[in-house]
Amino acid sequence: MSVSPPLNVLIVEDEVILAVELGFLVREAGCRDVGHAMSSDEAVELARSLKPDLALVDVHLRDGPTGVEVAREIAEHCGGVALFMTANVRRLPPDFAGACGVIGKPYSEYAVKTALAYLEICLREGRAPGPPPLGLQLAPDFI
């Protein structure tokens, strides 16, 4: 039986403490923290070079409310999927900009870890393993 490699996760968050905490939670969940970006330009550059499986993206970054454009770029050109991590859920477009869903801030450690485990199954197997865990709202057209 072969074991799948861990998900490669890019963190797009301009609050340093939150980015470090997310990196810790990503690693605790068994995923690989491949990098951190604080602006949309950094995020797109890292996503293009690192090709993450998943990007945790805040909507409001250092350069303004640009997270939606970052998610769309990752979905359309980088081979990955974004998950919004934001207190600004109302700023998301109806199509979620190609992202798989959103976790509203403030979030719990449990919500992040269970969302990562759930999304790993979705991304690896192309199916949802049941309803999403508490705290994770899926995009209307994801899986």
Side-chain angles (χ1 to χ4, degrees):
M1 178 175 145
S2 67
V3 176
S4 296
L7 284 182
N8 290 322
V9 179
L10 173 64
I11 296 168
V12 182
E13 170 63 65
D14 65 343
E15 292 184 45
V16 175
I17 292 172
L18 286 178
V20 170
E21 176 189 19
L22 281 173
F24 177 75
L25 294 176
V26 162
R27 292 186 301 277
E28 270 200 337
C31 299
R32 186 178 300 127
D33 173 7
V34 296
H36 295 201
M38 297 180 75
S39 69
S40 58
D41 288 342
E42 266 184 313
V44 170
E45 184 179 318
L46 283 174
R48 286 181 177 160
S49 65
L50 299 172
K51 302 287 188 209
D53 301 305
L54 180 66
L56 305 181
V57 179
D58 188 12
V59 170
H60 199 280
L61 300 170
R62 176 185 288 172
D63 50 357
T66 57
V68 170
E69 291 84 21
V70 169
R72 199 173 303 282
E73 180 70 22
I74 289 169
E76 292 176 2
H77 302 288
C78 300
V81 66
L83 172 66
F84 288 113
M85 310 284 288
T86 185
N88 301 305
V89 174
R90 292 185 312 271
R91 288 190 181 216
L92 299 179
D95 70 350
F96 277 59
C100 63
V102 62
I103 294 178
K105 288 181 181 177
Y107 49 77
S108 69
E109 178 180 323
Y110 177 80
V112 173
K113 288 180 179 179
T114 57
L116 287 170
Y118 180 88
L119 291 172
E120 183 166 19
I121 293 169
C122 291
L123 296 173
R124 296 276 187 234
E125 298 180 12
R127 67 172 183 86
L134 188 63
L136 174 62
Q137 177 187 343
L138 293 178
D141 61 350
F142 182 68
I143 305 269

